[in-house]
Amino acid sequence: MSPILRTLMALAVSALAAAGQTVTLPWPEFEALYRLQLDHEDPERREAERPAEVVFESADYSVRLSGDRARAEVTVTGRRLPGRPRPVPLLDGEVILEGPPRAEGALLLMRGQPQVLPQAEAFRIGLVLLLPVEEDGASLAVDIPLPEALSRSLAVQADEGFDLLDLPGLPTGDPGRVHPRGRSVRIRFADARGLEADRPVEVDLLTELALEQQSVLLRTAFAPRHVGRDPLRLHIPDGFRLVGSSLRAGALAHPEPGRIEIRPGREAAGFDLEFRSDASAGETPMGVRLPRIEGNAGREGAFVIVHPQDGRFTVEADALLRDLPAARLPRALHDRAGDTYHQSEDAGPLRVSLERFDKVASPDVVVDAVEVFVSFSENGDRLTLVRLNVPPVPEARLRVAPGEGARVWHCRVNGADREVFAAGEGGWLIPLAREGASAVEVAWIQPGPALGLHGRLEAALPGLGLAARRLALTVGLPRRVELLSYEGAIHPVEAPEKRAADQMPREFEGRPHRFTRVFFEGPPVPLAFHFREPVQP
């Protein structure tokens, strides 16, 4: 019956009663009308009698597994909304408790299934569940009931001798703890001794073949999926020796030549070993066996090649798959392979040879600028002066090729006089500063024919044991003659800046003619200058 209809009936009864007439109503209808009247007069009473809603805010589980049972320590927190307290189911199904529960702000009622009766606005309940273990195929399993809580977390630890096989749920960021889903979760575990006997070793290997100095380097990444209790037995490739390991001290043992035993630990996430060949790599093929583990059911024979900068490896094998996509590798090895890898399908050796590239000649040292001054005298002698700043070089000396018949005029390094030494084939060696840069100035004199009314004067840019980005040449001719033309790989300066007197060498004589050359590579450059004496009118 709707509230409106009940109200109309109440008004009708009141009118009949006022008229002195008698009205007969069934008791349920009368009681409903009476309660409706009370609710209308006292809304607070109506709100207090409404059943209260309960919210479980968190449920944290810590589970310990053994062969015959599972023990779960559970802590549940919650909040009661306004209303009349009522029992609310906590877990589905019947459970067995170890000892009395601990409750703050609520009562835990065991009516077939545990129920919570809130006594305060906020409550907290702690209890220990004893859960039966059943066999699930080749493993053991336990079902853990869960409440409908806003936040749930589950941590599981197995007794010694048992291995956890499956922990379903979302990771929490805390190792070993997950957020489970649903009203129950099934956890599978097994007797580790039985698993070790039946399950083979599973370790995935990826080897990087590279060159270190003159030797072949094998850097092998190991990604264990199952290592068991016994040590891994690894054969060292013939002709190689172990030179590096990412494992902790004591994890490796050498029971006999050519073999090592590895104890990476039951929780090993991955490790690397490095092996170096005793022989040098060259054009003659070298037999290289990839590292392999005895009785391994994981992936082996995968490798990548890291070519040296000055050469290229060539790898051949009887059963070799090349350029396979790295996506085929186990996830733990994806990043180590790059885009592709190669796979040797048998345990035979790889035939590895190394081709070295010819080095293209390049200057060992390049300076910013070199200044060269050449002065011709009337009697035919010519003076050549060279200025440059040399950065620190390993040998701490500068090689100069002045040309035929040259005699040292002077040599200074950082303002101090230095001796010049003969280097054979007409070359000179100038000692440089042991530390820091060297400001070098060296001058020499060479004989030549006396100047006439016209002619051709020969010179050269001197040979230096280094290169320069820019070379500036200043040629001085006697003032009675004029320059007609020149020969050589130089370019005249169209509008030369006038140099201050203190910037010109004191030994420089004659009318200056300026030239330039960019990217001077160091060897001598022959030059010639044609001149004549103008006819006076």
Side-chain angles (χ1 to χ4, degrees):
M1 182 180 295
S2 66
I4 296 177
L5 182 57
R6 291 174 178 173
T7 303
L8 293 176
M9 290 180 62
L11 294 175
V13 170
S14 299
L16 292 174
Q21 300 181 21
T22 301
V23 178
T24 302
L25 288 176
W27 173 254
E29 297 294 338
F30 178 80
E31 183 182 20
L33 290 173
Y34 179 70
R35 287 187 176 276
L36 181 63
Q37 180 66 20
L38 291 178
D39 291 346
H40 180 71
E41 294 175 356
D42 189 1
E44 294 183 0
R45 174 181 173 277
R46 177 184 58 190
E47 187 67 24
E49 291 187 354
R50 175 182 300 173
E53 297 292 336
V54 175
V55 177
F56 295 117
E57 296 179 331
S58 67
D60 297 322
Y61 281 66
S62 294
V63 180
R64 184 83 181 192
L65 302 175
S66 63
D68 55 352
R69 68 173 185 175
R71 185 177 183 273
E73 296 184 5
V74 184
T75 301
V76 178
T77 63
R79 187 171 298 275
R80 185 197 71 188
L81 302 180
R84 176 169 50 86
R86 64 183 179 88
V88 177
L90 177 63
L91 302 173
D92 293 339
E94 297 184 3
V95 295
I96 300 175
L97 300 184
E98 181 185 78
R102 304 178 307 279
E104 300 175 7
L107 296 176
L108 186 64
L109 307 178
M110 300 300 294
R111 298 177 177 177
Q113 62 178 167
Q115 296 182 343
V116 176
L117 179 60
Q119 302 292 305
E121 181 179 353
F123 60 87
R124 180 186 184 91
I125 297 174
L127 62 155
V128 178
L129 304 179
L130 298 180
L131 304 168
V133 173
E134 61 184 52
E135 291 190 5
D136 180 12
S139 62
L140 303 175
V142 60
D143 292 318
I144 299 178
L146 304 170
E148 288 283 0
L150 300 179
S151 173
R152 301 182 298 188
S153 67
L154 174 67
V156 180
Q157 185 177 3
D159 283 349
E160 185 177 358
F162 292 89
D163 280 343
L164 183 64
L165 302 180
D166 188 21
L167 182 58
L170 300 176
T172 63
D174 183 8
R177 184 172 287 273
V178 298
H179 291 302
R181 297 177 176 178
R183 292 304 302 270
S184 68
V185 60
R186 167 159 284 210
I187 299 175
R188 296 174 60 250
F189 63 106
D191 188 333
R193 292 166 295 182
L195 290 179
E196 300 297 341
D198 298 334
R199 185 176 178 184
V201 169
E202 291 184 78
V203 181
D204 298 320
L205 281 66
L206 177 67
T207 298
E208 180 182 282
L209 191 152
L211 184 72
E212 185 172 275
Q213 298 178 350
Q214 301 298 322
S215 301
V216 175
L217 184 70
L218 301 180
R219 183 180 294 110
T220 302
F222 296 78
R225 285 186 282 165
H226 177 71
V227 296
R229 296 180 178 273
D230 296 330
L232 303 177
R233 294 176 176 83
L234 180 73
H235 289 279
I236 299 177
D238 295 338
F240 284 76
R241 52 192 170 88
L242 180 67
V243 295
S245 169
S246 65
L247 290 168
R248 69 189 186 281
L252 295 176
H254 298 263
E256 59 185 60
R259 194 182 73 175
I260 57 177
E261 290 186 349
I262 307 170
R263 296 182 181 273
R266 297 184 59 81
E267 302 299 327
F271 58 93
D272 290 357
L273 297 179
E274 292 185 1
F275 307 90
R276 182 183 298 162
S277 66
D278 297 325
S280 299
E283 296 182 358
T284 302
M286 173 192 300
V288 176
R289 292 184 183 272
L290 298 176
R292 295 182 182 271
I293 299 174
E294 290 183 9
N296 185 21
R299 178 188 291 268
E300 293 185 335
F303 67 97
V304 295
I305 302 173
V306 180
H307 298 285
Q309 294 182 345
D310 62 345
R312 181 177 180 82
F313 279 115
T314 299
V315 179
E316 301 290 344
D318 294 335
L320 181 61
L321 302 178
R322 300 180 184 271
D323 299 323
L324 302 176
R328 295 187 183 180
L329 287 172
R331 185 176 300 275
L333 300 176
H334 278 186
D335 296 339
R336 308 293 292 268
D339 296 329
T340 61
Y341 73 100
H342 314 290
Q343 178 73 42
S344 175
E345 291 294 288
D346 60 17
L350 305 177
R351 296 182 292 276
V352 179
S353 58
L354 176 65
E355 175 192 1
R356 291 285 192 178
F357 300 146
D358 294 332
K359 183 179 179 180
V360 178
S362 62
D364 295 330
V365 180
V366 178
V367 299
D368 288 331
V370 173
E371 290 184 295
V372 178
F373 301 87
V374 178
S375 293
F376 291 93
S377 64
E378 288 283 358
N379 64 4
D381 290 344
R382 89 173 172 268
L383 182 136
T384 303
L385 185 145
V386 179
R387 287 176 176 170
L388 72 160
N389 288 318
V390 183
V393 293
E395 295 183 350
R397 58 192 179 188
L398 175 67
R399 182 179 294 271
V400 179
E404 185 177 355
R407 306 186 307 276
V408 176
W409 182 255
H410 72 256
C411 178
R412 302 186 186 95
V413 176
N414 293 335
D417 291 338
R418 285 290 177 91
E419 293 181 337
V420 178
F421 299 92
E425 299 181 359
W428 294 346
L429 288 178
I430 301 174
L432 302 176
R434 290 291 181 182
E435 297 182 358
S438 300
V440 178
E441 181 178 292
V442 58
W444 59 86
I445 295 177
Q446 291 169 288
L451 274 68
L453 296 179
H454 60 84
R456 179 177 180 271
L457 299 173
E458 294 183 352
L461 295 178
L464 303 174
L466 46 74
R469 296 181 179 88
R470 179 178 175 274
L471 184 143
L473 171 65
T474 304
V475 177
L477 298 178
R479 296 188 179 276
R480 69 174 180 84
V481 301
E482 62 180 3
L483 179 64
L484 297 178
S485 61
Y486 66 91
E487 301 174 14
I490 54 176
H491 302 280
V493 178
E494 298 294 338
E497 297 179 1
K498 186 175 181 180
R499 298 176 67 100
D502 59 352
Q503 293 179 334
M504 298 289 288
R506 291 181 301 173
E507 294 85 352
F508 186 83
E509 295 289 343
R511 180 182 292 112
H513 302 272
R514 293 188 170 88
F515 303 85
T516 186
R517 176 189 172 102
V518 294
F519 306 126
F520 176 66
E521 296 183 15
V525 177
L527 304 173
F529 302 92
H530 296 265
F531 70 93
R532 73 174 180 178
E533 182 177 351
V535 178
Q536 298 295 331

